[in-house]
Amino acid sequence: MALRKFHEIHFSSVNQEELVYLHLHASEQRITKDYAVISTLAVTNREVRSAISNLYSKNILPIMGMVAIIEQLGEAYSRSDLPAYPENGHSSFKKALYYFGGQDADNEFTKTLYGLRNGILHNASFFSPSKGNQSNYIFTYNHDAQNVLTPPSIPWDGDFNNIEEGHFTEINPQKLLDLTQKCIEEAGNANTNGYLNITLRGGMNELIFRYFKWVKNED
């Protein structure tokens, strides 16, 4: 279905495909007949892409933004062309990597990236302690790495008195940005092709109130 021109319709009349499109792409105000709207996901994505190349904002904030984007996609959506993500392993972050990042459910890559998510979002830390079936992780950047994550050569037992160079899991922030963009793009493709589902309990209304900001147009 072709998207209608947003300036010709009321925000309250957008259909699901149009609303998801706005969620993924409205980083600047999209003017409908009654409201100017922006999406927190799209704004975060725009700010991540700007911050990652700025000397004074490239180290922590972009990683926080990227993992938040992935988490938001997993909180909001699933897709009907893939087997359902297992409910007993529910995690919005891991769910997004399964549906939109091309990862098997709860594989080693997903577990490791989830460890980064826990450390960086909870307290801006590059350390994530063992929890459940998750290992101990301590992360560092490697901008020249070929992959998003490079596993440690030596598993770390979580003892801060026993840390060696081989214990670090390496992250390439640019590769993580590429993965984040892939997740957004795959969600967009699923939306266009009609197999994206909103999984929020409140459906479209919850999507609007959770992830959009809007200002009424002046008469």
Side-chain angles (χ1 to χ4, degrees):
M1 181 186 300
L3 297 176
R4 294 173 293 174
K5 295 179 180 179
F6 289 108
H7 69 274
E8 295 179 353
I9 60 177
H10 290 89
F11 185 44
S12 59
S13 74
V14 298
N15 60 38
Q16 178 171 313
E17 182 182 356
E18 291 164 339
L19 184 64
V20 172
Y21 178 88
L22 288 172
H23 181 219
L24 299 178
H25 300 294
S27 61
E28 297 181 357
Q29 288 188 347
R30 297 295 177 101
I31 306 299
T32 66
K33 288 188 74 172
D34 49 355
Y35 287 97
V37 300
I38 60 171
S39 152
T40 61
L41 184 147
V43 169
T44 302
N45 190 39
R46 181 188 66 190
E47 293 180 358
V48 162
R49 292 165 68 90
S50 174
I52 200 168
S53 60
N54 188 302
L55 178 62
Y56 297 108
S57 63
K58 66 182 182 179
N59 291 305
I60 304 295
L61 295 181
I63 303 297
M64 286 182 167
M66 285 184 263
V67 297
I69 287 169
I70 294 171
E71 179 109 6
Q72 189 174 132
L73 288 171
E75 184 72 21
Y77 303 120
S78 67
R79 48 194 290 180
S80 58
D81 63 324
L82 292 176
Y85 182 79
E87 287 298 324
N88 61 351
H90 179 70
S91 157
S92 296
F93 186 82
K94 294 179 181 179
K95 177 186 162 196
L97 292 173
Y98 170 71
Y99 282 122
F100 310 116
Q103 299 297 318
D104 293 333
D106 215 24
N107 62 11
E108 199 58 41
F109 175 89
T110 298
K111 290 177 183 177
T112 304
L113 203 58
Y114 185 67
L116 174 65
R117 171 258 185 217
N118 289 345
I120 202 73
L121 280 187
H122 288 173
N123 58 8
S125 169
F126 285 89
F127 160 71
S128 183
S130 176
K131 185 177 181 181
N133 65 349
Q134 178 184 301
S135 301
N136 293 291
Y137 298 107
I138 188 163
F139 297 95
T140 189
Y141 287 149
N142 180 350
H143 295 276
D144 298 319
Q146 295 300 306
N147 300 307
V148 179
L149 297 172
T150 304
S153 57
I154 307 169
W156 181 46
D157 62 6
D159 183 357
F160 283 99
N161 294 312
N162 177 32
I163 297 179
E164 303 177 17
E165 185 175 347
H167 288 143
F168 286 83
T169 299
E170 296 179 344
I171 317 155
N172 184 327
Q174 185 59 52
K175 297 292 185 181
L176 181 56
L177 178 61
D178 293 343
L179 175 61
T180 305
Q181 302 313 301
K182 175 184 177 180
C183 289
I184 296 171
E185 182 179 349
E186 285 299 312
N189 290 338
N191 184 45
T192 300
N193 291 307
Y195 45 79
L196 190 76
N197 302 316
I198 295 176
T199 53
L200 299 168
R201 289 186 179 182
M204 290 175 60
N205 283 342
E206 184 171 349
L207 187 68
I208 290 169
F209 284 99
R210 271 191 182 228
Y211 300 133
F212 283 87
K213 299 296 181 185
W214 59 90
V215 177
K216 191 167 181 62
N217 294 335
E218 296 182 3
D219 295 331

